[in-house]
Structure formats: structure tokens, C-alpha cells
Amino acid sequence: MAAAPQIADTDRAEFLRDALAGLQTRPRTLPGKYLWDEAGSELFDRICHTADYYPTGREIALLPGVAAEVAARIGPGATVVEFGSGASRKIRTLLDALDRPAAYIAVDISGDYLAEAIRRLASDYPQIAMQAVCADYSKPFRLPLPRSGGPVLAFFPGTSIGNFTPDEAGAFLARAREALGSCLFLIGADPTIERGALQAAYGGADGLMAAFHRNILARMNRELGADFDLDAFRHEVRLCEHPFRVEAHLTATAPTSVRLGPTRIDFAAGDSIRTDTSHKYTPEAFALLAAGSGWNPETHWLGTGGGFSLHLLRS
């Protein structure tokens, strides 16, 4: 049997505080950042290879042409900073397009998964200085940018910006502008509002999406000594308006009670925990969000059928 992952006492205490705060309020929530331990990252990587999860395929189809245009704008010797790098697969397309990139800084909250991804990447790009930064970029952060003063290109792929509320997304963009300084920022967003596609992508008939979200309960059992019965909660997708978003919930199928730290938490049948949110942005709405956070929107690209967008911002 594999050993339980080791986490620092300070991280465990913060996790417990956040979990108790979220589960003792209504509506009940858990911060989505806790989905991203090593097990959660591996599950989501599998989800990205499924046919129903459309954002990944549409982004991969769009990215090569975009990367060539961005490379021409940024010039040689760039330092590349990637937020939410995960398995560091999409960054390869960008690194291959750039002219002699000098450095790559990968920022992600899942430290073990990040370290392994960087190890694989470094063996294929030995000429690029690489650094892994394990950080929660939903909070203020600092980046180890080189002092050479060369160009900086930031990259936030996928639809992760949608996991923030619009106010949180604006705050992240403002923090990133401060941390990055003068740079270009290539960032993905999802304008999809077609309900059938969203239900298929986020519902996950193969069970992987349900396993991904239930892993947050399993993580609390492993790391916080909780006693969640994972089978007592079903995964549920809700499409919500004003603003338009997809919400993921774990809903109790019968009355159940859970011990978390010093606290007993009771769930009635039908009580739910919101585990994640994915906000959808038209290109126009995203440009307004970026401009309101101090960025200059330069251009954007839409994938085939308009199902994915990449935006280029300048600070």
C-alpha cells in the first residue's frame, strides 16, 4: 500500500481551516485549489484526453498557429512563465515556436506532479534553464525572474481563468501584472454556452470527472483524518446564469454525518458541496476583464466553431 502523501503542518492547518469554513456555511463549498493534489492532477490529465472534454482538443488545434504569431511578437531569448502548468504538455508547442527561449518557469499548486513534469521537460530541452515554483497563485506571489532584462512571455493555458469568479479573475490578472512586469501574456478562455456540450464535458459519462471531484473528499480523509464515505455523494453538474458558469457539486444521496478535525458535520439528503466553478467568457467580455485589471488586450484567436479562445495581453 502506498504511503499517504506528506504535507507540512502549516499546509494541513490551512487546509483544515478552509474546509471547515466552507462546509459550515451555506451554500457549502470547498476551495477548488484542493482538487489539485497528485491524484487529482493525474485524473484531470486523463480527462483532458477524452473526446467529451472539448477544451483541450480545441486549444491544441489552435495553439500552433497562435504560437508562431506570438513568437514573432516576443522575439528571441524570452523567459516563459506558465501558470497552472500541470503536465507541461502544451508548453512544448510554445517553446518549439519561440526563438531560443532562455528560461522556463512553471507555476503550479501540486508540487510532486510539477517536479515530475519539469524533470521530463528538462531532458528534452537541455538548453533552456528551468525552474519549478510550487505556489498558490490565487494569492499574492513572487516570481524568480532573471535579472537579464530580456523579454517575458506568460502563459495560462486551458480554461483555468474560469475557475475564479470574475472578481477573483480580475484580482489574479492584477497580481500577475505586478509580478511579471513588462511582458506579453497569452491566456486561454472558454466562450462555450452550448448546454449539451457543457453537460457532456463536465458530467463525464466515463466516471473520470466524478472521481476527480470525489478525490477532494478522499484527500481530506488522507490528509486531515476525515471520515467521508465517498459513495454517499454523487457528482452533479449545474449550469448557472448571471454570470454564465458551470458548477460542480457533490450531493449527498442520503443523510450522512462526517467528522472533520474537532467538528461533526451533518448532511441531509440533497445537501451539496460546490467543489469547482468554470465561468465562460465571450472574447469581448474577457477583453473588458483584462482591461479593467490594467492589461492592454492586443488580439485574440478563436478556435474552429468558436469553442475556445486565446487572448494576447500586454502590460
Side-chain angles (χ1 to χ4, degrees), residues 232-278:
F233 292 86
R234 72 173 184 274
H235 172 241
E236 181 183 347
V237 171
R238 301 178 187 176
L239 305 184
C240 306
E241 304 277 355
H242 310 301
F244 190 82
R245 64 199 184 278
V246 182
E247 291 187 355
H249 289 254
L250 295 173
T251 302
T253 57
T256 189
S257 187
V258 175
R259 172 68 65 182
L260 178 60
T263 304
R264 177 64 65 178
I265 302 170
D266 296 319
F267 294 85
D271 282 352
S272 76
I273 308 166
R274 189 181 71 230
T275 53
D276 206 15
T277 308
S278 183

mmCIF file of all heavy atoms in Angstrom, residues 232-278:
data_model
loop_
_atom_site.group_PDB
_atom_site.id
_atom_site.type_symbol
_atom_site.label_atom_id
_atom_site.label_comp_id
_atom_site.label_asym_id
_atom_site.label_seq_id
_atom_site.Cartn_x
_atom_site.Cartn_y
_atom_site.Cartn_z
ATOM 1 N N ALA A 232 -21.369 8.033 -0.630
ATOM 2 C CA ALA A 232 -22.566 8.732 -0.162
ATOM 3 C C ALA A 232 -22.797 10.048 -0.906
ATOM 4 O O ALA A 232 -23.777 10.744 -0.635
ATOM 5 C CB ALA A 232 -22.473 8.993 1.341
ATOM 6 N N PHE A 233 -21.897 10.388 -1.854
ATOM 7 C CA PHE A 233 -22.008 11.647 -2.588
ATOM 8 C C PHE A 233 -21.940 11.378 -4.087
ATOM 9 O O PHE A 233 -21.026 10.701 -4.560
ATOM 10 C CB PHE A 233 -20.879 12.607 -2.178
ATOM 11 C CG PHE A 233 -20.985 13.103 -0.775
ATOM 12 C CD1 PHE A 233 -20.454 12.367 0.278
ATOM 13 C CD2 PHE A 233 -21.623 14.304 -0.485
ATOM 14 C CE1 PHE A 233 -20.551 12.801 1.593
ATOM 15 C CE2 PHE A 233 -21.721 14.754 0.826
ATOM 16 C CZ PHE A 233 -21.194 14.010 1.868
ATOM 17 N N ARG A 234 -22.896 11.919 -4.816
ATOM 18 C CA ARG A 234 -22.874 11.805 -6.269
ATOM 19 C C ARG A 234 -22.377 13.113 -6.877
ATOM 20 O O ARG A 234 -22.613 14.195 -6.349
ATOM 21 C CB ARG A 234 -24.262 11.459 -6.816
ATOM 22 C CG ARG A 234 -25.267 12.596 -6.761
ATOM 23 C CD ARG A 234 -26.577 12.243 -7.470
ATOM 24 N NE ARG A 234 -27.497 13.384 -7.483
ATOM 25 C CZ ARG A 234 -28.341 13.695 -6.527
ATOM 26 N NH1 ARG A 234 -28.426 12.908 -5.452
ATOM 27 N NH2 ARG A 234 -29.131 14.752 -6.619
ATOM 28 N N HIS A 235 -21.709 12.992 -7.995
ATOM 29 C CA HIS A 235 -21.214 14.163 -8.732
ATOM 30 C C HIS A 235 -22.350 14.735 -9.570
ATOM 31 O O HIS A 235 -23.073 14.002 -10.251
ATOM 32 C CB HIS A 235 -20.053 13.732 -9.627
ATOM 33 C CG HIS A 235 -19.573 14.794 -10.562
ATOM 34 N ND1 HIS A 235 -19.611 14.662 -11.932
ATOM 35 C CD2 HIS A 235 -19.050 16.020 -10.319
ATOM 36 C CE1 HIS A 235 -19.126 15.746 -12.497
ATOM 37 N NE2 HIS A 235 -18.779 16.579 -11.557
ATOM 38 N N GLU A 236 -22.497 16.057 -9.530
ATOM 39 C CA GLU A 236 -23.595 16.717 -10.215
ATOM 40 C C GLU A 236 -23.080 17.992 -10.890
ATOM 41 O O GLU A 236 -22.266 18.723 -10.325
ATOM 42 C CB GLU A 236 -24.679 17.082 -9.185
ATOM 43 C CG GLU A 236 -25.896 17.760 -9.751
ATOM 44 C CD GLU A 236 -26.886 18.145 -8.654
ATOM 45 O OE1 GLU A 236 -26.745 17.668 -7.506
ATOM 46 O OE2 GLU A 236 -27.793 18.946 -8.948
ATOM 47 N N VAL A 237 -23.559 18.247 -12.112
ATOM 48 C CA VAL A 237 -23.191 19.441 -12.863
ATOM 49 C C VAL A 237 -24.396 20.370 -12.938
ATOM 50 O O VAL A 237 -25.505 19.937 -13.253
ATOM 51 C CB VAL A 237 -22.729 19.074 -14.290
ATOM 52 C CG1 VAL A 237 -22.548 20.320 -15.145
ATOM 53 C CG2 VAL A 237 -21.433 18.289 -14.232
ATOM 54 N N ARG A 238 -24.171 21.646 -12.649
ATOM 55 C CA ARG A 238 -25.238 22.646 -12.736
ATOM 56 C C ARG A 238 -24.791 23.782 -13.648
ATOM 57 O O ARG A 238 -23.686 24.304 -13.495
ATOM 58 C CB ARG A 238 -25.578 23.199 -11.340
ATOM 59 C CG ARG A 238 -26.037 22.121 -10.362
ATOM 60 C CD ARG A 238 -26.313 22.705 -8.990
ATOM 61 N NE ARG A 238 -26.599 21.646 -8.013
ATOM 62 C CZ ARG A 238 -26.797 21.856 -6.710
ATOM 63 N NH1 ARG A 238 -26.754 23.106 -6.231
ATOM 64 N NH2 ARG A 238 -27.041 20.844 -5.899
ATOM 65 N N LEU A 239 -25.661 24.162 -14.576
ATOM 66 C CA LEU A 239 -25.414 25.292 -15.454
ATOM 67 C C LEU A 239 -26.161 26.490 -14.896
ATOM 68 O O LEU A 239 -27.373 26.442 -14.714
ATOM 69 C CB LEU A 239 -25.862 24.990 -16.879
ATOM 70 C CG LEU A 239 -25.270 23.722 -17.508
ATOM 71 C CD1 LEU A 239 -25.721 23.584 -18.964
ATOM 72 C CD2 LEU A 239 -23.753 23.715 -17.420
ATOM 73 N N CYS A 240 -25.437 27.559 -14.610
ATOM 74 C CA CYS A 240 -25.986 28.708 -13.887
ATOM 75 C C CYS A 240 -25.817 29.979 -14.715
ATOM 76 O O CYS A 240 -24.895 30.100 -15.523
ATOM 77 C CB CYS A 240 -25.280 28.869 -12.532
ATOM 78 S SG CYS A 240 -25.291 27.380 -11.511
ATOM 79 N N GLU A 241 -26.696 30.932 -14.475
ATOM 80 C CA GLU A 241 -26.687 32.207 -15.198
ATOM 81 C C GLU A 241 -26.201 33.343 -14.290
ATOM 82 O O GLU A 241 -26.155 33.216 -13.076
ATOM 83 C CB GLU A 241 -28.102 32.535 -15.683
ATOM 84 C CG GLU A 241 -28.733 31.454 -16.555
ATOM 85 C CD GLU A 241 -28.312 31.548 -18.010
ATOM 86 O OE1 GLU A 241 -27.591 32.517 -18.355
ATOM 87 O OE2 GLU A 241 -28.692 30.670 -18.804
ATOM 88 N N HIS A 242 -25.874 34.457 -14.938
ATOM 89 C CA HIS A 242 -25.620 35.748 -14.256
ATOM 90 C C HIS A 242 -24.538 35.673 -13.171
ATOM 91 O O HIS A 242 -24.843 35.827 -11.999
ATOM 92 C CB HIS A 242 -26.921 36.281 -13.664
ATOM 93 C CG HIS A 242 -28.060 36.301 -14.627
ATOM 94 N ND1 HIS A 242 -28.041 36.997 -15.825
ATOM 95 C CD2 HIS A 242 -29.266 35.675 -14.590
ATOM 96 C CE1 HIS A 242 -29.178 36.816 -16.461
ATOM 97 N NE2 HIS A 242 -29.940 36.019 -15.755
ATOM 98 N N PRO A 243 -23.291 35.464 -13.527
ATOM 99 C CA PRO A 243 -22.746 35.225 -14.854
ATOM 100 C C PRO A 243 -22.853 33.761 -15.255
ATOM 101 O O PRO A 243 -23.020 32.885 -14.388
ATOM 102 C CB PRO A 243 -21.283 35.654 -14.705
ATOM 103 C CG PRO A 243 -20.975 35.319 -13.278
ATOM 104 C CD PRO A 243 -22.227 35.607 -12.503
ATOM 105 N N PHE A 244 -22.746 33.510 -16.563
ATOM 106 C CA PHE A 244 -22.883 32.137 -17.044
ATOM 107 C C PHE A 244 -21.680 31.303 -16.598
ATOM 108 O O PHE A 244 -20.534 31.699 -16.800
ATOM 109 C CB PHE A 244 -23.000 32.107 -18.571
ATOM 110 C CG PHE A 244 -23.377 30.744 -19.082
ATOM 111 C CD1 PHE A 244 -24.704 30.340 -19.079
ATOM 112 C CD2 PHE A 244 -22.417 29.856 -19.519
ATOM 113 C CE1 PHE A 244 -25.062 29.083 -19.529
ATOM 114 C CE2 PHE A 244 -22.762 28.588 -19.965
ATOM 115 C CZ PHE A 244 -24.094 28.202 -19.969
ATOM 116 N N ARG A 245 -21.972 30.152 -16.012
ATOM 117 C CA ARG A 245 -20.910 29.315 -15.460
ATOM 118 C C ARG A 245 -21.397 27.883 -15.302
ATOM 119 O O ARG A 245 -22.606 27.620 -15.274
ATOM 120 C CB ARG A 245 -20.463 29.848 -14.092
ATOM 121 C CG ARG A 245 -21.555 29.797 -13.036
ATOM 122 C CD ARG A 245 -21.245 30.723 -11.867
ATOM 123 N NE ARG A 245 -22.249 30.598 -10.793
ATOM 124 C CZ ARG A 245 -23.431 31.215 -10.783
ATOM 125 N NH1 ARG A 245 -23.778 32.003 -11.802
ATOM 126 N NH2 ARG A 245 -24.272 31.061 -9.775
ATOM 127 N N VAL A 246 -20.446 26.963 -15.196
ATOM 128 C CA VAL A 246 -20.703 25.562 -14.860
ATOM 129 C C VAL A 246 -20.236 25.352 -13.431
ATOM 130 O O VAL A 246 -19.104 25.702 -13.083
ATOM 131 C CB VAL A 246 -19.948 24.606 -15.801
ATOM 132 C CG1 VAL A 246 -20.264 23.156 -15.454
ATOM 133 C CG2 VAL A 246 -20.281 24.896 -17.255
ATOM 134 N N GLU A 247 -21.107 24.788 -12.601
ATOM 135 C CA GLU A 247 -20.729 24.463 -11.227
ATOM 136 C C GLU A 247 -20.696 22.951 -11.041
ATOM 137 O O GLU A 247 -21.579 22.235 -11.525
ATOM 138 C CB GLU A 247 -21.718 25.065 -10.227
ATOM 139 C CG GLU A 247 -21.659 26.574 -10.146
ATOM 140 C CD GLU A 247 -22.535 27.146 -9.033
ATOM 141 O OE1 GLU A 247 -23.268 26.363 -8.370
ATOM 142 O OE2 GLU A 247 -22.487 28.371 -8.830
ATOM 143 N N ALA A 248 -19.666 22.472 -10.352
ATOM 144 C CA ALA A 248 -19.564 21.062 -9.975
ATOM 145 C C ALA A 248 -19.950 20.923 -8.502
ATOM 146 O O ALA A 248 -19.467 21.689 -7.661
ATOM 147 C CB ALA A 248 -18.152 20.535 -10.202
ATOM 148 N N HIS A 249 -20.837 19.968 -8.224
ATOM 149 C CA HIS A 249 -21.290 19.731 -6.858
ATOM 150 C C HIS A 249 -21.153 18.252 -6.516
ATOM 151 O O HIS A 249 -21.262 17.389 -7.391
ATOM 152 C CB HIS A 249 -22.769 20.130 -6.702
ATOM 153 C CG HIS A 249 -23.013 21.602 -6.737
ATOM 154 N ND1 HIS A 249 -23.324 22.337 -5.610
ATOM 155 C CD2 HIS A 249 -22.977 22.491 -7.761
ATOM 156 C CE1 HIS A 249 -23.490 23.612 -5.944
ATOM 157 N NE2 HIS A 249 -23.278 23.734 -7.242
ATOM 158 N N LEU A 250 -20.905 17.979 -5.248
ATOM 159 C CA LEU A 250 -21.024 16.642 -4.684
ATOM 160 C C LEU A 250 -22.248 16.665 -3.783
ATOM 161 O O LEU A 250 -22.291 17.411 -2.800
ATOM 162 C CB LEU A 250 -19.768 16.266 -3.900
ATOM 163 C CG LEU A 250 -18.490 16.129 -4.736
ATOM 164 C CD1 LEU A 250 -17.277 15.931 -3.832
ATOM 165 C CD2 LEU A 250 -18.607 14.972 -5.715
ATOM 166 N N THR A 251 -23.249 15.857 -4.132
ATOM 167 C CA THR A 251 -24.550 15.911 -3.470
ATOM 168 C C THR A 251 -24.788 14.642 -2.665
ATOM 169 O O THR A 251 -24.601 13.530 -3.181
ATOM 170 C CB THR A 251 -25.666 16.080 -4.520
ATOM 171 O OG1 THR A 251 -25.417 17.271 -5.273
ATOM 172 C CG2 THR A 251 -27.031 16.191 -3.859
ATOM 173 N N ALA A 252 -25.171 14.814 -1.409
ATOM 174 C CA ALA A 252 -25.430 13.669 -0.530
ATOM 175 C C ALA A 252 -26.650 12.908 -1.028
ATOM 176 O O ALA A 252 -27.703 13.490 -1.292
ATOM 177 C CB ALA A 252 -25.650 14.140 0.898
ATOM 178 N N THR A 253 -26.516 11.600 -1.169
ATOM 179 C CA THR A 253 -27.618 10.767 -1.658
ATOM 180 C C THR A 253 -28.539 10.305 -0.535
ATOM 181 O O THR A 253 -29.640 9.813 -0.792
ATOM 182 C CB THR A 253 -27.068 9.535 -2.390
ATOM 183 O OG1 THR A 253 -26.201 8.807 -1.507
ATOM 184 C CG2 THR A 253 -26.258 9.971 -3.611
ATOM 185 N N ALA A 254 -28.121 10.467 0.709
ATOM 186 C CA ALA A 254 -28.906 10.094 1.893
ATOM 187 C C ALA A 254 -28.328 10.858 3.072
ATOM 188 O O ALA A 254 -27.224 11.406 2.987
ATOM 189 C CB ALA A 254 -28.821 8.580 2.137
ATOM 190 N N PRO A 255 -29.055 10.951 4.189
ATOM 191 C CA PRO A 255 -28.469 11.620 5.356
ATOM 192 C C PRO A 255 -27.146 10.972 5.757
ATOM 193 O O PRO A 255 -27.026 9.737 5.799
ATOM 194 C CB PRO A 255 -29.543 11.432 6.441
ATOM 195 C CG PRO A 255 -30.815 11.237 5.680
ATOM 196 C CD PRO A 255 -30.425 10.473 4.442
ATOM 197 N N THR A 256 -26.157 11.776 6.015
ATOM 198 C CA THR A 256 -24.844 11.266 6.400
ATOM 199 C C THR A 256 -24.173 12.270 7.310
ATOM 200 O O THR A 256 -24.534 13.446 7.346
ATOM 201 C CB THR A 256 -23.969 10.975 5.156
ATOM 202 O OG1 THR A 256 -22.789 10.285 5.541
ATOM 203 C CG2 THR A 256 -23.591 12.256 4.434
ATOM 204 N N SER A 257 -23.207 11.789 8.074
ATOM 205 C CA SER A 257 -22.501 12.635 9.020
ATOM 206 C C SER A 257 -21.009 12.387 8.871
ATOM 207 O O SER A 257 -20.573 11.243 8.655
ATOM 208 C CB SER A 257 -22.956 12.307 10.448
ATOM 209 O OG SER A 257 -22.412 13.215 11.373
ATOM 210 N N VAL A 258 -20.228 13.462 8.984
ATOM 211 C CA VAL A 258 -18.792 13.391 8.737
ATOM 212 C C VAL A 258 -18.052 14.044 9.887
ATOM 213 O O VAL A 258 -18.439 15.114 10.368
ATOM 214 C CB VAL A 258 -18.437 14.105 7.409
ATOM 215 C CG1 VAL A 258 -16.932 14.145 7.207
ATOM 216 C CG2 VAL A 258 -19.122 13.428 6.239
ATOM 217 N N ARG A 259 -16.976 13.428 10.330
ATOM 218 C CA ARG A 259 -16.089 14.022 11.316
ATOM 219 C C ARG A 259 -14.911 14.641 10.585
ATOM 220 O O ARG A 259 -14.211 13.984 9.821
ATOM 221 C CB ARG A 259 -15.602 12.961 12.314
ATOM 222 C CG ARG A 259 -14.524 13.439 13.277
ATOM 223 C CD ARG A 259 -15.038 14.463 14.274
ATOM 224 N NE ARG A 259 -16.043 13.927 15.187
ATOM 225 C CZ ARG A 259 -16.652 14.634 16.116
ATOM 226 N NH1 ARG A 259 -16.359 15.939 16.247
ATOM 227 N NH2 ARG A 259 -17.553 14.083 16.901
ATOM 228 N N LEU A 260 -14.683 15.938 10.822
ATOM 229 C CA LEU A 260 -13.569 16.652 10.222
ATOM 230 C C LEU A 260 -12.893 17.439 11.323
ATOM 231 O O LEU A 260 -13.452 18.411 11.846
ATOM 232 C CB LEU A 260 -14.051 17.574 9.105
ATOM 233 C CG LEU A 260 -12.986 18.435 8.406
ATOM 234 C CD1 LEU A 260 -11.924 17.559 7.750
ATOM 235 C CD2 LEU A 260 -13.630 19.340 7.362
ATOM 236 N N GLY A 261 -11.669 17.033 11.689
ATOM 237 C CA GLY A 261 -11.000 17.665 12.817
ATOM 238 C C GLY A 261 -11.860 17.522 14.056
ATOM 239 O O GLY A 261 -12.345 16.435 14.371
ATOM 240 N N PRO A 262 -12.109 18.616 14.777
ATOM 241 C CA PRO A 262 -12.899 18.538 16.013
ATOM 242 C C PRO A 262 -14.408 18.623 15.767
ATOM 243 O O PRO A 262 -15.180 18.642 16.720
ATOM 244 C CB PRO A 262 -12.421 19.776 16.778
ATOM 245 C CG PRO A 262 -12.121 20.773 15.698
ATOM 246 C CD PRO A 262 -11.581 19.974 14.541
ATOM 247 N N THR A 263 -14.822 18.664 14.523
ATOM 248 C CA THR A 263 -16.193 19.036 14.202
ATOM 249 C C THR A 263 -16.929 17.902 13.507
ATOM 250 O O THR A 263 -16.366 17.224 12.634
ATOM 251 C CB THR A 263 -16.194 20.288 13.280
ATOM 252 O OG1 THR A 263 -15.467 21.336 13.926
ATOM 253 C CG2 THR A 263 -17.610 20.756 12.991
ATOM 254 N N ARG A 264 -18.183 17.703 13.909
ATOM 255 C CA ARG A 264 -19.081 16.772 13.226
ATOM 256 C C ARG A 264 -20.004 17.584 12.330
ATOM 257 O O ARG A 264 -20.647 18.525 12.778
ATOM 258 C CB ARG A 264 -19.892 15.968 14.240
ATOM 259 C CG ARG A 264 -20.923 15.015 13.635
ATOM 260 C CD ARG A 264 -20.323 13.902 12.811
ATOM 261 N NE ARG A 264 -19.508 12.985 13.577
ATOM 262 C CZ ARG A 264 -18.908 11.904 13.067
ATOM 263 N NH1 ARG A 264 -19.036 11.636 11.783
ATOM 264 N NH2 ARG A 264 -18.175 11.118 13.811
ATOM 265 N N ILE A 265 -20.055 17.223 11.042
ATOM 266 C CA ILE A 265 -20.854 17.951 10.060
ATOM 267 C C ILE A 265 -21.929 17.020 9.529
ATOM 268 O O ILE A 265 -21.625 15.914 9.051
ATOM 269 C CB ILE A 265 -19.974 18.474 8.915
ATOM 270 C CG1 ILE A 265 -18.877 19.387 9.471
ATOM 271 C CG2 ILE A 265 -20.814 19.224 7.879
ATOM 272 C CD1 ILE A 265 -17.814 19.749 8.455
ATOM 273 N N ASP A 266 -23.177 17.451 9.611
ATOM 274 C CA ASP A 266 -24.312 16.634 9.176
ATOM 275 C C ASP A 266 -24.800 17.094 7.810
ATOM 276 O O ASP A 266 -24.910 18.295 7.533
ATOM 277 C CB ASP A 266 -25.456 16.731 10.186
ATOM 278 C CG ASP A 266 -25.082 16.157 11.548
ATOM 279 O OD1 ASP A 266 -24.414 15.096 11.562
ATOM 280 O OD2 ASP A 266 -25.423 16.774 12.571
ATOM 281 N N PHE A 267 -25.118 16.122 6.961
ATOM 282 C CA PHE A 267 -25.681 16.380 5.645
ATOM 283 C C PHE A 267 -27.045 15.705 5.548
ATOM 284 O O PHE A 267 -27.172 14.510 5.870
ATOM 285 C CB PHE A 267 -24.785 15.811 4.535
ATOM 286 C CG PHE A 267 -23.446 16.480 4.408
ATOM 287 C CD1 PHE A 267 -22.372 16.089 5.203
ATOM 288 C CD2 PHE A 267 -23.245 17.498 3.486
ATOM 289 C CE1 PHE A 267 -21.131 16.686 5.078
ATOM 290 C CE2 PHE A 267 -22.005 18.108 3.358
ATOM 291 C CZ PHE A 267 -20.951 17.704 4.161
ATOM 292 N N ALA A 268 -28.036 16.452 5.106
ATOM 293 C CA ALA A 268 -29.314 15.856 4.751
ATOM 294 C C ALA A 268 -29.238 15.367 3.306
ATOM 295 O O ALA A 268 -28.383 15.802 2.529
ATOM 296 C CB ALA A 268 -30.430 16.898 4.896
ATOM 297 N N ALA A 269 -30.116 14.446 2.937
ATOM 298 C CA ALA A 269 -30.177 14.011 1.548
ATOM 299 C C ALA A 269 -30.438 15.225 0.660
ATOM 300 O O ALA A 269 -31.324 16.034 0.934
ATOM 301 C CB ALA A 269 -31.276 12.981 1.364
ATOM 302 N N GLY A 270 -29.626 15.377 -0.387
ATOM 303 C CA GLY A 270 -29.769 16.510 -1.291
ATOM 304 C C GLY A 270 -28.867 17.682 -0.964
ATOM 305 O O GLY A 270 -28.712 18.584 -1.792
ATOM 306 N N ASP A 271 -28.278 17.713 0.237
ATOM 307 C CA ASP A 271 -27.297 18.756 0.537
ATOM 308 C C ASP A 271 -26.089 18.579 -0.380
ATOM 309 O O ASP A 271 -25.630 17.456 -0.622
ATOM 310 C CB ASP A 271 -26.823 18.662 1.995
ATOM 311 C CG ASP A 271 -27.828 19.241 2.979
ATOM 312 O OD1 ASP A 271 -28.814 19.844 2.522
ATOM 313 O OD2 ASP A 271 -27.618 19.076 4.190
ATOM 314 N N SER A 272 -25.551 19.692 -0.851
ATOM 315 C CA SER A 272 -24.432 19.586 -1.786
ATOM 316 C C SER A 272 -23.260 20.435 -1.333
ATOM 317 O O SER A 272 -23.403 21.374 -0.548
ATOM 318 C CB SER A 272 -24.860 19.995 -3.198
ATOM 319 O OG SER A 272 -24.974 21.400 -3.313
ATOM 320 N N ILE A 273 -22.086 20.061 -1.867
ATOM 321 C CA ILE A 273 -20.844 20.814 -1.684
ATOM 322 C C ILE A 273 -20.395 21.259 -3.069
ATOM 323 O O ILE A 273 -20.169 20.424 -3.949
ATOM 324 C CB ILE A 273 -19.736 19.940 -1.064
ATOM 325 C CG1 ILE A 273 -20.210 19.248 0.207
ATOM 326 C CG2 ILE A 273 -18.483 20.782 -0.801
ATOM 327 C CD1 ILE A 273 -19.266 18.127 0.651
ATOM 328 N N ARG A 274 -20.270 22.572 -3.281
ATOM 329 C CA ARG A 274 -19.735 23.049 -4.557
ATOM 330 C C ARG A 274 -18.218 22.919 -4.522
ATOM 331 O O ARG A 274 -17.561 23.498 -3.657
ATOM 332 C CB ARG A 274 -20.136 24.497 -4.806
ATOM 333 C CG ARG A 274 -19.781 24.975 -6.231
ATOM 334 C CD ARG A 274 -20.151 26.423 -6.464
ATOM 335 N NE ARG A 274 -19.278 27.306 -5.713
ATOM 336 C CZ ARG A 274 -19.704 28.299 -4.933
ATOM 337 N NH1 ARG A 274 -20.995 28.529 -4.776
ATOM 338 N NH2 ARG A 274 -18.829 29.064 -4.282
ATOM 339 N N THR A 275 -17.677 22.148 -5.461
ATOM 340 C CA THR A 275 -16.243 21.879 -5.471
ATOM 341 C C THR A 275 -15.484 22.665 -6.533
ATOM 342 O O THR A 275 -14.256 22.781 -6.438
ATOM 343 C CB THR A 275 -15.978 20.378 -5.684
ATOM 344 O OG1 THR A 275 -16.685 19.937 -6.854
ATOM 345 C CG2 THR A 275 -16.438 19.573 -4.482
ATOM 346 N N ASP A 276 -16.183 23.189 -7.537
ATOM 347 C CA ASP A 276 -15.475 23.953 -8.566
ATOM 348 C C ASP A 276 -16.481 24.723 -9.407
ATOM 349 O O ASP A 276 -17.670 24.389 -9.446
ATOM 350 C CB ASP A 276 -14.665 23.020 -9.472
ATOM 351 C CG ASP A 276 -13.475 23.718 -10.120
ATOM 352 O OD1 ASP A 276 -13.102 24.816 -9.668
ATOM 353 O OD2 ASP A 276 -12.904 23.148 -11.067
ATOM 354 N N THR A 277 -15.981 25.747 -10.085
ATOM 355 C CA THR A 277 -16.794 26.586 -10.964
ATOM 356 C C THR A 277 -15.988 26.901 -12.200
ATOM 357 O O THR A 277 -14.773 27.129 -12.121
ATOM 358 C CB THR A 277 -17.185 27.903 -10.264
ATOM 359 O OG1 THR A 277 -17.772 27.620 -8.999
ATOM 360 C CG2 THR A 277 -18.180 28.685 -11.093
ATOM 361 N N SER A 278 -16.638 26.916 -13.364
ATOM 362 C CA SER A 278 -15.974 27.291 -14.602
ATOM 363 C C SER A 278 -16.803 28.376 -15.293
ATOM 364 O O SER A 278 -17.854 28.092 -15.869
ATOM 365 C CB SER A 278 -15.814 26.081 -15.530
ATOM 366 O OG SER A 278 -15.104 26.441 -16.698
#
